[in-house]
Amino acid sequence: MAASSSGNGGPGGCRSNIPQYEDAVAETNTQVFHVGSFGAAWRGALRPQDLSLQEAAPEDRDAAVAEEFSCPPEFVSDLRAVCSINALKSPGKENTEEIPEDTTLLTLAIRKKALERREETVVIDRACRQETFLYEMESHAIGKRPNDPVNLVQEGELVLTLHIFYPVIFQKHKTCKPYQTMLVLGSQNLTEVRDSISCVSDLQIGGEFSSHPDQAPEYISKDLYKSAFFHFEGIFYNDMRYPECRNLSRMIIEWAESRERGYTNLQAAKMEDYTFNDLNIKVGFPYLYCHQGDCEHVVIITDIRLIHRDDCLDRSLYPLLIKKHWLWTKKCFVCKMYTARWVTNDDSLAPQDPSFFCDVCFQMLHYDADGNKLGEFLAYPYVDPGIFN
């Protein structure tokens, strides 16, 4: 498909609307291209039936198969029968749960030993759990159509795959594992993705409450500090929807322009005024999402394609979360059963610093029957990252 003229894509302009690898050897990311122009080029090159989201009639499917394989239409029914999934099944009814004693297959022998071991001991197979639920979230939405026709995704809509990585302040997984993977429509605003990102920093409760633990406020950091920005190709898209929002990128831009640091033409725009179709991006390139002042996440767009009839077609479900990394939860140091809700420092009653406690153990260890404080310690509400599991 030949490249057409470049789209302007809002601030910053654009180079091309056809993604090409920036480094033909490394093949890590593409060159900059305009998302909306790329989608328009695809829609102009494909036939209406290729873009259609309607289910094809059986006779239309037979005709398409006959055309694809260059065979007479009467052969299609025979071809379907030969290639059917039912052809893979044994004619006799077998018990797939029972492994034969005389099996010569190595995989079945290993499975038999694993099942016997599980019967003898209680085993929590975390790896197996991850594999089992890896694509569960995505499978729930496949082929889903809205009850209200207004929410039906339009034909030719672009779908982008976004990976949100752990905050940079996390020492574990901060550079290698995305903790959220979501599908985003090209026509959606950046603010919709910003609101769908779950981060433990947004749920923090500030303050020290050892003297009055029952008076810990119910509001969280996200209610107080609503400012955030995305950074794509030299443009900071700031969330300015609320009066209390601040332009977090202003200080960064001033710092970059104060001396010759190699950063030129940095710009700022309102996040709520732009959709993904308006952006200039590189597929596979690390970008930035920043919120709570200094909580920084790497964001990588790894795929961009047209919507298909087998995708989730309910627009209200997008951004669609399809994968979520599983984390160990921090257990209470006393009962070792419940998730920690409090963390203490300089605790005269605890053997470690910091120490983590559930609500019940925290109250029983640190306060008497009348609620009076015992010993010296500092107590802070704790939000465990594993709550998103």
Side-chain angles (χ1 to χ4, degrees), residues 116-172:
E116 292 174 350
R117 185 170 64 253
R118 288 185 182 182
E119 291 179 356
E120 298 173 357
T121 59
V122 178
V123 177
I124 302 176
D125 194 343
R126 297 294 180 187
C128 181
R129 181 186 186 280
Q130 286 280 44
E131 293 167 4
T132 302
F133 297 101
L134 184 60
Y135 298 101
E136 182 188 21
M137 302 179 70
E138 184 176 10
S139 66
H140 286 326
I142 290 178
K144 201 166 196 177
R145 292 174 177 265
N147 296 325
D148 188 352
V150 176
N151 292 327
L152 182 66
V153 176
Q154 298 296 315
E155 295 179 354
E157 179 72 86
L158 284 176
V159 179
L160 297 87
T161 302
L162 268 69
H163 295 277
I164 314 297
F165 284 71
Y166 281 98
V168 176
I169 57 176
F170 268 48
Q171 293 303 312
K172 188 177 183 181

Side-chain angles (χ1 to χ4, degrees), residues 83-279:
C83 299
S84 172
I85 296 178
N86 295 328
L88 300 175
K89 297 181 179 179
S90 174
K93 188 175 181 180
E94 295 184 15
N95 183 6
T96 56
E97 298 297 326
E98 183 178 343
I99 300 176
E101 294 289 343
D102 57 346
T103 179
T104 58
L105 293 176
L106 181 60
T107 52
L108 286 181
I110 295 175
R111 176 171 175 78
K112 183 176 177 62
K113 291 181 180 179
L115 292 176
E116 292 174 350
R117 185 170 64 253
R118 288 185 182 182
E119 291 179 356
E120 298 173 357
T121 59
V122 178
V123 177
I124 302 176
D125 194 343
R126 297 294 180 187
C128 181
R129 181 186 186 280
Q130 286 280 44
E131 293 167 4
T132 302
F133 297 101
L134 184 60
Y135 298 101
E136 182 188 21
M137 302 179 70
E138 184 176 10
S139 66
H140 286 326
I142 290 178
K144 201 166 196 177
R145 292 174 177 265
N147 296 325
D148 188 352
V150 176
N151 292 327
L152 182 66
V153 176
Q154 298 296 315
E155 295 179 354
E157 179 72 86
L158 284 176
V159 179
L160 297 87
T161 302
L162 268 69
H163 295 277
I164 314 297
F165 284 71
Y166 281 98
V168 176
I169 57 176
F170 268 48
Q171 293 303 312
K172 188 177 183 181
H173 308 314
K174 69 178 181 180
T175 58
C176 59
K177 286 187 178 181
Y179 78 102
Q180 278 185 299
T181 300
M182 61 181 68
L183 300 180
V184 183
L185 300 178
S187 59
Q188 289 191 294
N189 284 82
L190 299 181
T191 50
E192 296 182 64
V193 174
R194 184 260 191 276
D195 292 338
S196 65
I197 296 176
S198 300
C199 178
V200 70
S201 298
D202 286 330
L203 305 180
Q204 299 294 336
I205 300 174
E208 196 276 320
F209 300 98
S210 60
S211 299
H212 306 284
D214 296 332
Q215 297 181 10
E218 295 183 356
Y219 55 79
I220 56 178
S221 298
K222 193 173 185 178
D223 299 330
L224 298 176
Y225 312 107
K226 300 181 179 181
S227 304
F229 70 78
F230 285 104
H231 178 259
F232 293 104
E233 293 302 318
I235 305 174
F236 294 91
Y237 298 91
N238 292 278
D239 188 351
M240 304 296 290
R241 290 175 292 174
Y242 308 101
E244 56 268 35
C245 286
R246 298 171 55 193
N247 184 351
L248 296 180
S249 66
R250 179 176 56 84
M251 185 177 297
I252 301 175
I253 296 176
E254 292 176 354
W255 171 84
E257 294 177 348
S258 61
R259 292 181 175 83
E260 295 183 1
R261 291 188 166 94
Y263 301 99
T264 59
N265 198 28
L266 292 177
Q267 303 177 49
K270 291 185 178 180
M271 186 188 301
E272 56 270 27
D273 293 342
Y274 288 88
T275 67
F276 281 87
N277 283 334
D278 300 324
L279 299 184

